[in-house]
Amino acid sequence: MKELPKEFLKRMQEMLPGEYEDFLQSYEAPRPNGLRVNTGKISCEEFEKIAPFPIQRIPWTKNGYFYPAGEHPARHPYYRAGLYYLQEPSAMAPAAHLPIVPGERVLDLCAAPGGKATELGVKLAGEGLLVANDISTSRARALLRNLELFGIGNVLVTSETPARLAKVFPEYFHKILLDAPCSGEGMFRKDLEAVKAWYPERPKDCAAVQKELLRLAVSMLRPGGLLLYSTCTFAPSENEGIIAAALREFSELALIELPASPGFAKGVPAWGDKNPAMEKCVRLWPHRLAGEGHFMALLKKQWQSAKEEAVGKSRPARPIDGRLEEFFKGCQKSFSIDRIESKGGKVWLLPSGLPKVSGLHILRGGLYLGELKKDRFEPAQPLAMALSAGEYPVTVRFSPRDERLPRYFHGEELPLLEEESQGKKGWALVCAGDFPVGWGKIVRQTLKNKYPAGWRQS
Ligand code: SAM
């Protein structure tokens, strides 16, 4: 067993009477590997048919699967097609348990690298707005990449302090996920760094941050809205303790019961003001299910508030550029013209109802479509990832096993067979099987590689 801090073990022994041995045993077991299917691109039924390795359903999500140790799903072209996200199985629970209706405004306050934001974006099905934020800019860049890979365009990706976001978005969101930074006790089996970063007062220090984050999140939630609070730690002070404090402070908040699932345990009233409602929370323990450990609580903001929406209106319509028109003719996906915005030659498709926000550090607002050059439009990688194979008139389909695909991901120019290039020239959507992975340009029997340098395999 890994060296675990003795203060941590002592507390776990107190927390888990009768279960402590099983809990310790779980550290000896191999850790389960999980992937979550991007149902915005493929149904679970279809994925089960084409999965290149054995998979087995994870009981507490509709689209999560275990895969065996020794497999490398991130090396398969389907990963580059955004068909799945690799995620620790218990970490799939929070986004799966925040109900979302397409068209809503959703905030993921601590979103990087996007394990939960990608699922929230899929649940919005292209309608409404996902604001995905992380205080760390480098982590927010990884978040943006994962959202792009998933083909999610109705986003505002920011790297802000929650306090600054709260000033811009008072009572704005229908749904909020607060997957709070925490002492990471649930990551000890998976990640030695989490053990090293732990110290006995860490849960108390984290709790102070979590209380403030939850306060700010509540201020951004519309009356009637739902907020899911989650952590990957076991410490009561960061879980039931935070929820109990929020219920004391905000009388408009109520806990909503999360559905039961095999292996889920209830929250513990004794760890949260002896409030029996704590049983509506869920704890995922590593000795009760095949996951590392998580906590989640679903809160509803009940009162009607007098506050007006203080966020700006959507933008007026603009005429479309001829170069864009030329590129998109024959494209089966229709883009609403009044949501297209260009600045300095770069072109975006804005989410409907994207407010005009100023003063925020924004990494991306909407779907990046590409760039207007002197006499043409050049499509960008996120646009390829947001299309499906049949939506662009010219495609080059490689079998997922074609040896040219890894070369494409390395940025190489590729030879095409006569039947692959026949009657085609110019921009082509490159696909692995039925799934787009990027752009190329057909020149005679050659595919000029347009896979961006920043996305290539090192
Ligand atoms: N939800 C993410 C996912 O599923 O991929 C994981 C989020 S991780 C548990 C917590 C995140 O909170 C980190 O990415 C970290 O950069 C961010 N964070 C740390 N301190 C913060 C703070 N004071 N305010 C907002 N975010 C913070």
Side-chain angles (χ1 to χ4, degrees):
M1 195 201 307
K2 273 175 200 148
E3 277 307 304
L4 294 175
K6 61 179 186 314
E7 296 89 343
F8 164 72
L9 290 174
K10 184 168 175 288
R11 170 164 44 79
M12 295 313 298
Q13 194 165 12
E14 288 161 11
M15 284 171 68
L16 292 168
E19 293 178 57
Y20 181 61
E21 286 308 317
D22 292 346
F23 174 75
L24 282 186
Q25 276 298 316
S26 72
Y27 285 86
E28 307 295 337
R31 65 185 182 87
N33 301 299
L35 65 82
R36 204 189 64 248
V37 171
N38 178 355
T39 54
K41 285 183 184 265
I42 186 169
S43 70
C44 287
E45 293 70 30
E46 282 304 311
F47 184 73
E48 285 172 16
K49 284 184 205 150
I50 65 161
F53 32 78
I55 51 172
Q56 200 190 337
R57 282 288 297 275
I58 294 175
W60 53 91
T61 71
K62 288 198 175 88
N63 53 341
Y65 293 86
F66 297 111
Y67 66 86
E71 296 290 348
H72 299 283
R75 294 185 194 161
H76 195 277
Y78 287 156
Y79 178 77
R80 290 186 170 259
L83 294 200
Y84 47 80
Y85 186 97
L86 303 186
Q87 191 173 31
E88 189 279 295
S90 70
M92 294 179 192
H97 287 84
L98 179 58
I100 285 171
V101 179
E104 288 182 332
R105 300 168 189 160
V106 179
L107 169 67
D108 189 345
L109 188 55
C110 305
K116 298 171 183 96
T118 43
E119 175 67 5
L120 300 178
V122 168
K123 283 177 149 190
L124 277 174
E127 294 170 36
L129 175 69
L130 172 67
V131 177
N133 177 69
D134 203 277
I135 198 166
S136 148
T137 303
S138 58
R139 287 176 63 85
R141 283 198 196 102
L143 163 69
L144 171 60
R145 169 63 56 81
N146 283 322
L147 289 164
E148 286 176 343
L149 196 58
F150 256 48
I152 296 165
N154 51 330
V155 287
L156 183 67
V157 180
T158 58
S159 181
E160 269 303 343
T161 63
R164 281 167 55 94
L165 275 188
K167 286 208 179 91
V168 177
F169 293 113
E171 297 202 332
Y172 184 72
F173 296 100
H174 299 94
K175 305 288 160 63
I176 297 181
L177 179 73
L178 172 52
D179 186 37
C182 68
S183 60
E185 293 167 0
M187 293 296 119
F188 284 2
R189 176 167 63 175
K190 184 177 155 208
D191 182 5
L192 201 57
E193 292 306 307
V195 182
K196 284 190 195 151
W198 194 91
Y199 51 90
E201 296 77 33
R202 184 128 203 256
K204 188 161 67 72
D205 294 349
C206 288
V209 174
Q210 289 152 354
K211 249 181 220 161
E212 184 56 14
L213 291 180
L214 187 48
R215 232 176 245 141
L216 292 165
V218 169
S219 78
M220 287 187 266
L221 189 63
R222 284 168 73 101
L226 293 173
L227 187 157
L228 195 132
Y229 174 85
S230 59
T231 73
C232 61
T233 204
F234 305 125
S237 55
E238 299 181 62
N239 294 320
E240 287 88 346
I242 295 296
I243 301 304
L247 293 175
R248 283 197 304 272
E249 185 173 344
F250 300 100
S251 50
E252 67 268 42
L253 287 184
L255 267 171
I256 304 290
E257 182 142 19
L258 285 161
S261 181
F264 277 17
K266 291 181 173 179
V268 182
W271 300 338
D273 281 354
K274 299 201 174 75
N275 183 343
M278 289 301 149
E279 292 205 334
K280 296 178 178 177
C281 307
V282 162
R283 277 183 169 264
L284 287 81
W285 292 105
H287 58 289
R288 293 211 185 183
L289 46 67
E292 303 300 308
H294 246 75
F295 170 87
M296 44 181 189
L298 186 60
L299 293 160
K300 182 167 185 173
K301 189 176 195 175
Q302 303 185 97
W303 291 352
Q304 204 54 42
S305 148
K307 269 191 206 157
E308 289 297 313
E309 273 173 29
V311 186
K313 295 191 176 79
S314 24
R315 292 139 208 265
R318 292 178 187 81
I320 188 156
D321 186 287
R323 291 164 290 183
L324 276 174
E325 207 164 6
E326 174 66 23
F327 179 85
F328 283 104
K329 74 172 189 265
C331 187
Q332 297 299 309
K333 193 174 179 101
S334 59
F335 295 108
S336 169
I337 293 165
D338 59 336
R339 285 166 44 203
I340 289 180
E341 179 172 276
S342 77
K343 207 172 170 190
K346 297 200 186 308
V347 187
W348 293 269
L349 178 73
L350 303 179
S352 63
L354 179 73
K356 252 195 175 135
V357 284
S358 52
L360 289 182
H361 181 198
I362 295 174
L363 276 75
R364 176 63 47 80
L367 177 68
Y368 181 39
L369 298 178
E371 218 173 328
L372 290 165
K373 301 283 185 180
K374 197 161 168 271
D375 56 354
R376 65 190 187 282
F377 171 74
E378 293 210 340
Q381 181 70 12
L383 170 61
M385 301 311 295
L387 292 171
S388 51
E391 285 178 329
Y392 192 72
V394 185
T395 53
V396 172
R397 286 183 201 231
F398 295 118
S399 145
R401 283 172 298 280
D402 193 310
E403 56 81 32
R404 288 173 294 178
L405 263 182
R407 292 165 57 198
Y408 174 73
F409 296 134
H410 275 107
E412 286 179 35
E413 189 173 300
L414 299 174
L416 294 175
L417 302 173
E418 206 177 328
E419 60 268 28
E420 288 171 332
S421 58
Q422 222 167 29
K424 300 176 185 172
K425 67 173 191 188
W427 287 103
L429 191 59
V430 180
C431 300
D434 288 336
F435 304 98
V437 290
W439 295 105
K441 236 176 167 177
I442 302 175
V443 181
R444 286 180 291 279
Q445 261 181 257
T446 306
L447 184 75
K448 303 273 178 203
N449 197 314
K450 297 291 176 183
Y451 198 66
W455 288 58
R456 285 178 202 161
Q457 250 158 7
S458 48

